[in-house]
């Protein structure tokens, strides 16, 4: 599975961004998808996950109510809509796919990764 992210950039606090991830996969519907992020000097953390159909989602507490993950199985894409951005959201954001796990919400099962896209939020 190859994943390519787009949509990062520099914004001011309170503004919005939408990240997109395109997947080259024969059976996109077999992939649980997720967004992760890593800030300088910090470990990578889970931001949001979505199951195979888009019917179930998970959000980290830090982004709950501000971020929305969605997927379009016809286009092999998964998006992350980020509203009310804060400086602490600054990080490299990675799209990831879980191809083999039996559950969609286990972060450790995500094994395919994009190269990442930088999101910088200024105060």
């Amino acid at each position: 599975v190859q994943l390519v992210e787009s949509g990062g950039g520099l914004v001011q606090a309170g503004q919005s961004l939408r990240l997109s991830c395109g997947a080259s996969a024969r059976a996109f519907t077999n992939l649980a998808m997720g967004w992760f992020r890593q800030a300088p000097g910090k470990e990578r953390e889970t931001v949001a996950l979505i199951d195979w159909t888009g019917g179930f989602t998970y959000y980290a507490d830090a982004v709950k109510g501000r971020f929305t993950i969605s997927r379009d199985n016809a286009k092999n894409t998964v998006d992350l809509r980020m509203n009310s951005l804060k400086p602490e959201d600054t990080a490299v954001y990675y799209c990831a796919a879980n191809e083999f796990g039996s559950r969609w919400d286990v972060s450790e099962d995500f094994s395919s990764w994009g190269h990442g896209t930088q999101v910088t939020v200024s105060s």
Side-chain angles (χ1 to χ4, degrees), residues 74-122:
K75 297 181 179 179
N76 283 20
T77 58
V78 59
D79 289 354
L80 183 68
R81 177 68 178 178
M82 306 183 294
N83 295 329
S84 302
L85 282 161
K86 304 176 180 179
E88 50 263 45
D89 294 319
T90 295
V92 177
Y93 283 71
Y94 297 90
C95 174
N98 174 0
E99 186 174 5
F100 303 109
S102 59
R103 291 185 55 173
W104 63 272
D105 58 347
V106 178
S107 297
E108 291 75 14
D109 287 346
F110 283 75
S111 56
S112 297
W113 297 86
H115 292 296
T117 185
Q118 177 70 46
V119 172
T120 303
V121 184
S122 63

Side-chain angles (χ1 to χ4, degrees), residues 33-34 36 46 48-51 56-58 69 104-107 110:
M33 300 297 296
F36 298 74
T46 305
L49 307 175
I50 190 166
D51 81 326
F56 293 93
T57 57
Y58 161 85
I69 188 171
W104 63 272
D105 58 347
V106 178
S107 297
F110 283 75

